[in-house]
Amino acid sequence: MRHTSLERIPGIVAGLRHSFAQGVTRPESWRRAQLERMRTLLLDRGDDFEAALAHDLGKSGAEAQLTEIGFLVAELDYALAHLSGWMRPRRVSVPLAVLPASARIVPEPLGVALVIAPWNYPLMLALSPVIGAIAAGNAVVVKPSELAPATADLIAKLVPDVLDRRAIAVVTGGVPETTALLAERFDHIFYTGNGHVGRIVARAAAEHLTPVTLELGGKSPVYVDDTVPIAETARRIAWGKFMNAGQTCVAPDYVLGSRAVLRKLGPALVDAIHELYGTASAGNSDYGRIVTDAQFERLVGYLGDGEALSGGEYDASQRWIAPTVLKDVSRDASVMQEEIFGPILPLIEVADLDDAIALVTEREKPLAAYVFSSARAVRMRWETETSSGALAFGVPALHLVAHELPFGGVGESGMGAYHGERSFLTFSHEKAVLSKPLFPETLAVTIMPPFTKNKADLARGGLRRLL
């Protein structure tokens, strides 16, 4: 993978800031043109992006189109359809005492934004925040993940040829290049990844009082009770869990259920895995691979934390781990201590709903929680008694594709949100503008007489006359 020279980074950022100061990025016509060019790029070079994603993560063409390329095209279409409305100042009311006056909220771009992308969806998570940054009228630096080198190289090669180099730049490399970028002053930093690096990003941003959006992760729980059809529940859990070989920030991390429910759900998950990937996932082109040897070794270390109902096999030469369901997993097992981020699904027995909610709430707040129950009271308790970035009933992960839902975490799972209009607002400052006509005859009442028995009453009267 090509790395951007460290010496060039200050000049790149300075150049973008100059372009922003010159007003290059502010016109709606410029924003719209960049978004349209990005859309054309994704469609015209889709085969190249599919090949890069297959090289980096073993993604099939269908999965690449569904979760990366197609996702971005849909987001671009939504932004292009709503851009004019997002940019339009919004009138708001003023108190009666202030009349006559008018007030409005004017969205304005922040300046120069930095987007630091992860490796698990290296195209979508690199460009999705950029859509919001461009729509809001910012200049932007995007830093693709070095752990997905083929995709990073393709972004670095194609994006500068298609988008306006004066205001949009790609910086490639690893830790040194990211560190050099974080030493620069930006007007917003958007980071997707883990909490450890998120803290580093936040500390660097604090030096310049730069606002940050941190899209992190966490152990997203699934709760299943006996009021739902088990076979269909298992299909949906398996789909959400094993997509991208489990390397999805909102993938189901573990399943909670009573002994009776898990006794039925375990075999149903085995059937669902076979239905999705067959009995030989190592040869299935629709099933991905683990991104690095280090990640592979970490995941293999979890396989002994329970009895494998399905999977448990692996091949280091291919970085392949079979879709695995573990039963009889202790709550204190190593697989339950951090986000799994791989194709291993522990089943955790709970005594009842109270026990399940207690287990989730005593841990850090997850990026998502999934509940499979048709009981209204059960759903309401999860909604009111637990906190997570998102809560979904009956399906995992699909909240990502709802443009009008904010996507983001809470607590350890992140701060800030994006998607749809929320992306535009994330990279905007909502400026308060108030306008009041001047009447020369009111100026004299601002002078308070030197003697009064009730200055508070006089001050209120003076304010009324002034307004």
Side-chain angles (χ1 to χ4, degrees), residues 350-408:
V350 292
D352 51 25
L353 176 60
D354 289 339
D355 189 25
I357 290 177
L359 188 151
V360 171
T361 56
E362 70 188 11
R363 296 167 178 261
E364 298 291 352
K365 297 175 182 179
L367 188 55
Y370 306 116
V371 175
F372 288 82
S373 174
S374 61
R376 185 176 182 276
V378 171
R379 293 182 173 210
M380 186 56 65
R381 287 195 62 187
W382 279 93
E383 188 169 337
T384 59
E385 297 180 27
T386 68
S387 179
S388 53
L391 174 64
F393 298 111
V395 68
L398 278 187
H399 59 285
L400 272 74
V401 303
H403 297 297
E404 296 187 14
L405 282 178
F407 176 74

Side-chain angles (χ1 to χ4, degrees), residues 241-242 253-256 262 265-267 269-270 273 299-313 321-330 333-336 340 342-349:
K241 173 62 179 180
F242 299 111
D253 195 88
Y254 59 97
V255 178
L256 302 173
L262 295 185
L265 182 64
L269 284 166
V270 175
I273 291 168
L299 291 167
V300 168
Y302 293 148
L303 294 175
D305 284 350
E307 179 184 342
L309 286 174
S310 175
E313 305 87 8
I321 299 176
T324 299
V325 177
L326 296 179
K327 71 171 185 175
D328 299 331
V329 177
S330 165
S334 59
V335 74
M336 290 297 293
I340 297 170
I344 301 169
L345 183 64
L347 306 182
I348 307 297
E349 182 181 323

Side-chain angles (χ1 to χ4, degrees), residues 56-310:
D56 290 332
L57 289 153
K59 289 193 181 187
S60 67
E63 185 172 320
Q65 286 291 339
L66 175 67
T67 64
E68 306 232 27
I69 300 167
F71 185 100
L72 288 169
V73 170
E75 202 165 7
L76 285 160
D77 288 341
Y78 189 83
L80 286 164
H82 293 85
L83 181 60
S84 296
W86 293 345
M87 292 179 62
R88 191 175 299 123
R90 187 172 78 253
R91 292 201 61 162
V92 296
S93 62
V94 296
L96 183 62
V98 178
L99 294 175
S102 64
R104 65 191 189 276
I105 298 171
V106 179
E108 63 179 13
L110 293 172
V112 182
L114 169 63
V115 174
I116 304 175
W119 51 262
N120 58 324
Y121 289 88
L123 176 64
M124 185 268 284
L125 291 176
L127 297 186
S128 179
V130 173
I131 293 171
I134 292 173
N138 297 277
V140 59
V141 177
V142 57
K143 165 61 179 64
S145 174
E146 71 277 13
L147 298 181
T151 305
D153 280 346
L154 195 58
I155 291 172
K157 174 184 175 183
L158 298 180
V159 166
D161 287 344
V162 173
L163 303 187
D164 190 340
R165 290 172 180 257
R166 296 174 299 169
I168 300 160
V170 180
V171 170
T172 55
V175 172
E177 289 74 19
T178 304
T179 302
L181 282 169
L182 291 174
E184 299 295 317
R185 181 176 72 83
F186 289 93
D187 299 290
H188 194 92
I189 298 176
F190 192 108
Y191 168 76
T192 304
N194 62 63
H196 171 70
V197 178
R199 286 173 169 82
I200 295 172
V201 171
R203 282 194 291 268
E207 290 297 317
H208 301 289
L209 295 180
T210 299
V212 297
T213 300
L214 301 178
E215 297 296 343
L216 307 177
K219 296 182 72 64
S220 297
V222 180
Y223 174 74
V224 182
D225 68 17
D226 59 4
T227 66
V228 293
I230 292 296
E232 181 59 29
T233 295
R235 290 189 192 97
R236 295 188 183 189
I237 294 173
W239 170 79
K241 173 62 179 180
F242 299 111
M243 176 174 56
N244 197 29
Q247 299 167 116
T248 303
C249 59
V250 292
D253 195 88
Y254 59 97
V255 178
L256 302 173
S258 67
R259 179 177 300 180
V261 167
L262 295 185
R263 191 180 296 122
K264 297 176 184 177
L265 182 64
L269 284 166
V270 175
D271 292 341
I273 291 168
H274 289 168
E275 184 178 329
L276 284 169
Y277 303 110
T279 57
S281 62
N284 189 329
S285 61
D286 288 329
Y287 183 67
R289 298 295 184 266
I290 308 305
V291 65
T292 64
D293 291 337
Q295 289 289 339
F296 176 85
E297 293 299 329
R298 180 182 65 85
L299 291 167
V300 168
Y302 293 148
L303 294 175
D305 284 350
E307 179 184 342
L309 286 174
S310 175

Side-chain angles (χ1 to χ4, degrees), residues 7-48:
E7 292 75 20
R8 290 186 57 222
I9 288 175
I12 290 171
V13 177
L16 297 180
R17 192 163 297 283
H18 175 75
S19 296
F20 177 78
Q22 295 300 306
V24 168
T25 65
R26 287 181 178 268
E28 180 180 348
S29 58
W30 183 88
R31 307 182 197 192
R32 192 172 292 279
Q34 304 312 304
L35 298 177
E36 289 172 345
R37 290 174 188 173
M38 186 187 297
R39 187 182 190 279
T40 300
L41 169 64
L42 291 166
L43 294 176
D44 289 351
R45 303 302 292 267
D47 290 346
D48 295 321

